[in-house]
Amino acid sequence: MRVAVIGTGYVGLVTGACLAHLGHHVICVDNNPAKIEGLQRGRLPIYEPGLEDLVREGSASGLLQFTTDLRTGIQNSQVVFIAVGTPALPSGDPDLRYVEAVAREIGQQLDEQYRVIVNKSTVPIGSGDWVRMIILDGAAETAKQRLSSPEEGKVEVLSERDPDGELGGVVTQGLRPASASSESCWMPQFDVVSNPEFLREGSAIHDTFNPDRIVVGSESPRAIQIMRELYEPILSRQKGLSGDPVPWVVTDLASAEMIKYAANAFLATKISFINEIANICERTGADVTQVADGIGLDKRIGRAFLNAGLGWGGSCFPKDVAALIQTAADYGYEARLLRATVEVNQQQRQRLVEKLQQALKVLKGKTIGLLGLTFKPNTDDMRDAPSLSLIEHLHKLGAKVKAYDPIVSGSGIREGLAHVVVETDVLRLAQDCDALVLVTEWQEFQSLDYSHLAGLMRRPLLIDARNCLDRQALRQAGMTVLGIGW
């Protein structure tokens, strides 16, 4: 199948590379010439385990191509994925400028061929009909240009309103040469589909090929069938994939859009819940890790995402929860539980600073070393990382902050790190520190020689802010150990 993926950010690049691996012909489009040139040369703009190999494989086979020419992508595709960013605005609303610009240009490039336009970007509920409207506006703009171009001949713009109101009153428009018969008139033939992604950074390749479910929102049997054919290798475990068949979930557009937001909001709430329990555990003498194990055995609850620590960050949870809160407000509902979820998450980072203050008293003049900077392991993503909040808080309190991260330290990434010394190895990090804080649970940190690190520190204090290290082993190594919720 011929596919275009517009946007080569995290979701777009992973989607394009994985679809090419399944045997589809994929053209990835981006308006950043430097990024496209880098991808054509095999240089990736992001770090994701296994992605470089997939891009190299797809490029070598000719199934994966990169271009800045959107027209080429559209006109050589049956399925067009919109996978551009939707960052949060100060209000909490997602910024849809990039989605709007792409949708309009798609409309300008449509021809007689039927296409499925897929919203892969996370967009507010109701955006499917809005994207359809923007695409039709783009098609109408092209019609006007043809009208004013003598060499193209006169063109008549046809309009009709959906009689059943299923498009929310959207006016659909088509084009017809003025001299043609009614049989020769045409309208842009497309359907808009919602196909939310549920990728976890650090395991996105695995999640693409082994999803918990594939959700497609559409009321068009034709579009649903094409999407089914696109994902058939995953659904029926072809191309060397093993395991049980993957659930195929078909919904209406709005429900598919809500599924994405609701899933991330629930997971964020689950993390904030266990952090709330952790804070109570610290005051009552209970151990949150044991509590999480105990309640996680309840099949109605489950153990996943019940890990107390510094809370959630990254590119998805913060903006998706904020967008859902704002959507509720737009429709006259106050999402109190979600607001509390955000508040608990924000406070959790401050509680780590308070823990340092309790152990070291005055932080001014102290040196704090951070083990990890990214918001989670196996990624280079620093968006809304808890480490950034810690750095800012500690800097304001007069502490010197150092950090080491397996990816960031060697990558040259320094955005948001003006107030931290980024060290190139763990030994340099530990030198003369008054405390180490494990911020990101990289596997590398499990096997460090903590006895050696303790000897390099001014005082051997370690705060395991992810509850992922062996407490007893750390104490035997000479460390004073503090955690979250115990």
Side-chain angles (χ1 to χ4, degrees), residues 247-259:
W248 172 251
V249 181
V250 177
T251 72
D252 57 75
L253 269 170
S255 295
E257 292 161 349
M258 177 61 89
I259 286 170

Side-chain angles (χ1 to χ4, degrees), residues 75-135:
Q75 297 196 348
N76 288 279
S77 65
Q78 301 161 271
V79 180
V80 180
F81 282 88
I82 299 176
V84 296
T86 54
L89 295 168
S91 65
D93 289 306
D95 187 346
L96 299 179
R97 288 178 297 169
Y98 309 112
V99 174
E100 180 176 2
V102 167
R104 189 175 302 279
E105 192 163 357
I106 288 173
Q108 293 169 350
Q109 302 299 339
L110 288 179
D111 52 26
E112 291 84 354
Q113 179 184 334
Y114 172 81
R115 290 178 177 83
V116 178
I117 313 299
V118 185
N119 259 344
K120 201 69 172 175
S121 301
T122 302
V123 291
I125 293 87
S127 294
D129 289 342
W130 174 75
V131 165
R132 178 180 177 83
M133 178 184 70
I134 300 301
I135 292 173

Side-chain angles (χ1 to χ4, degrees), residues 156-227:
E156 180 182 351
V157 182
L158 305 178
S159 298
E160 66 179 19
R161 188 171 296 274
D162 175 27
D164 298 322
E166 293 181 355
L167 303 179
V170 172
V171 175
T172 59
Q173 298 171 311
L175 313 175
R176 178 177 66 193
S179 60
S181 66
S182 60
E183 287 78 17
S184 66
C185 70
W186 69 276
M187 297 178 62
Q189 298 297 307
F190 69 94
D191 283 301
V192 176
V193 168
S194 176
N195 176 218
E197 53 83 17
F198 303 97
L199 306 180
R200 298 169 296 169
E201 293 191 34
S203 58
I205 306 299
H206 176 274
D207 291 348
T208 300
F209 293 137
N210 304 277
D212 294 323
R213 72 289 200 197
I214 294 177
V215 176
V216 169
S218 175
E219 295 180 1
S220 164
R222 185 179 185 183
I224 292 169
Q225 180 58 34
I226 289 174
M227 294 299 291

Side-chain angles (χ1 to χ4, degrees), residues 367 369-372 402-404 423-438 442 444-463 469 473-481:
T367 300
L370 306 183
L371 287 163
K402 301 196 294 181
Y404 166 75
E423 300 287 9
T424 55
D425 61 68
V426 176
L427 299 182
R428 291 174 62 88
L429 173 72
Q431 188 71 46
D432 296 327
C433 273
D434 293 283
L436 290 176
V437 180
L438 190 143
W442 286 93
E444 175 182 328
F445 298 153
Q446 295 285 343
S447 56
L448 294 177
D449 184 349
Y450 284 99
S451 178
H452 188 188
L453 296 184
L456 296 173
M457 299 172 67
R458 186 176 293 128
R459 62 188 82 187
L461 170 64
L462 187 145
I463 299 181
L469 301 177
L474 288 171
R475 288 169 180 146
Q476 291 175 354
M479 288 282 189
T480 299
V481 187

